[in-house]
Amino acid sequence: IELLEDPTGLLQIADVTKQPVIEKFKKPGSDYFSLGFTESAYWYRFTVKNPYAENQKRLLLLRTPWIDQVDLYIPLADGSYQHRRMGDSLPFKQREIEHHQFISTLVVPPGTSTYLMRIYTPKPFMTPLFLMEPVTFIQTEWMQAAYYGVIFGSLFIMLLYNGIIYFSIRDRRYLFYCLYLASFFIMNFSYNGFSYQYLWPD
């Protein structure tokens, strides 16, 4: 992946695919990186090589559910780009795949294909990207579902248990602990994109 910072937020796809801007993309130096808090937009450029004679279907995952704006530009045979928009500033039902993370389907033709992605968010700028076969994605989803089930299930049981104790003995410490558990649950539910999916999708 190569990066280009756009402090003004005004660069368009036509600008970043021609000179002199095209030469300003730089490697970030790490596969997993954070850009902290920034008002800049960032352009990502990555090339996918398909060594087979047939098209290959892949899923592009951005595992940060709080990103505001994600614009993916997919190269077409005529030299133009197909534009797909994602982000939590859009209603949830506008997503290509209804999932708590951002997922886009890529049909990669034989040879090399260079994709561009523009990302903007004033929130923590962490952008772990994955390119997966659909079968691999399904396998990892089962593990993720089990993980979230244990975490959220445990929090719910603790909340229910301490709520029963509070109503039994009326000790306010248990009420405060229940409020803490509820807020911790909502924070994690939101942090992982589930609140946006199930509680306030619009």
Side-chain angles (χ1 to χ4, degrees):
I1 294 177
E2 295 174 303
L3 290 183
L4 171 67
E5 183 178 6
D6 177 14
T8 65
L10 298 177
L11 292 178
Q12 302 295 319
I13 183 66
D15 301 316
V16 299
T17 53
K18 63 183 181 183
Q19 300 290 355
V21 179
I22 196 171
E23 298 294 334
K24 296 181 180 179
F25 279 89
K26 297 179 180 178
K27 292 188 179 297
S30 175
D31 293 330
Y32 185 90
F33 50 91
S34 170
L35 299 171
F37 291 87
T38 176
E39 291 296 324
S40 297
Y42 275 86
W43 285 86
Y44 291 47
R45 184 174 67 189
F46 58 95
T47 298
V48 179
K49 183 178 180 180
N50 175 8
Y52 303 102
E54 305 84 20
N55 291 343
Q56 298 293 313
K57 183 178 180 181
R58 295 292 184 269
L59 297 177
L60 180 66
L61 282 71
L62 174 56
R63 292 197 181 275
T64 308
W66 62 77
I67 299 294
D68 285 5
Q69 297 174 12
V70 181
D71 293 280
L72 175 64
Y73 294 90
I74 301 170
L76 301 177
D78 62 1
S80 63
Y81 289 87
Q82 178 190 1
H83 178 211
R84 295 181 189 169
R85 173 160 286 179
M86 300 172 282
D88 72 358
S89 61
L90 299 173
F92 185 82
K93 288 194 176 293
Q94 290 189 18
R95 296 190 179 192
E96 177 189 348
I97 297 174
E98 293 191 1
H99 192 272
H100 63 100
Q101 297 168 340
F102 302 116
I103 306 175
S104 193
T105 305
L106 301 183
V107 179
V108 184
T112 58
S113 303
T114 299
Y115 298 83
L116 288 142
M117 180 182 285
R118 179 187 183 275
I119 300 179
Y120 170 77
T121 186
K123 302 163 190 170
F125 211 117
M126 296 187 298
T127 51
L129 287 170
F130 299 87
L131 191 65
M132 288 186 174
E133 292 182 339
V135 172
T136 305
F137 171 73
I138 292 171
Q139 292 171 344
T140 60
E141 278 301 288
W142 278 109
M143 292 187 289
Q144 291 260 343
Y147 168 78
Y148 288 125
V150 169
I151 295 297
F152 295 132
S154 299
L155 285 171
F156 181 76
I157 290 171
M158 291 171 64
L159 178 62
L160 185 64
Y161 174 75
N162 285 278
I164 291 172
I165 293 178
Y166 167 71
F167 285 109
S168 299
I169 64 176
R170 297 293 176 175
D171 187 332
R172 293 178 64 191
R173 287 175 293 185
Y174 287 95
L175 174 61
F176 293 142
Y177 188 53
C178 286
L179 293 174
Y180 164 74
L181 288 172
S183 63
F184 187 75
F185 178 91
I186 290 294
M187 185 273 291
N188 277 277
F189 208 62
S190 301
Y191 180 83
N192 289 288
F194 294 108
S195 294
Y196 180 60
Q197 181 175 3
Y198 295 111
L199 301 182
W200 44 78
D202 296 320

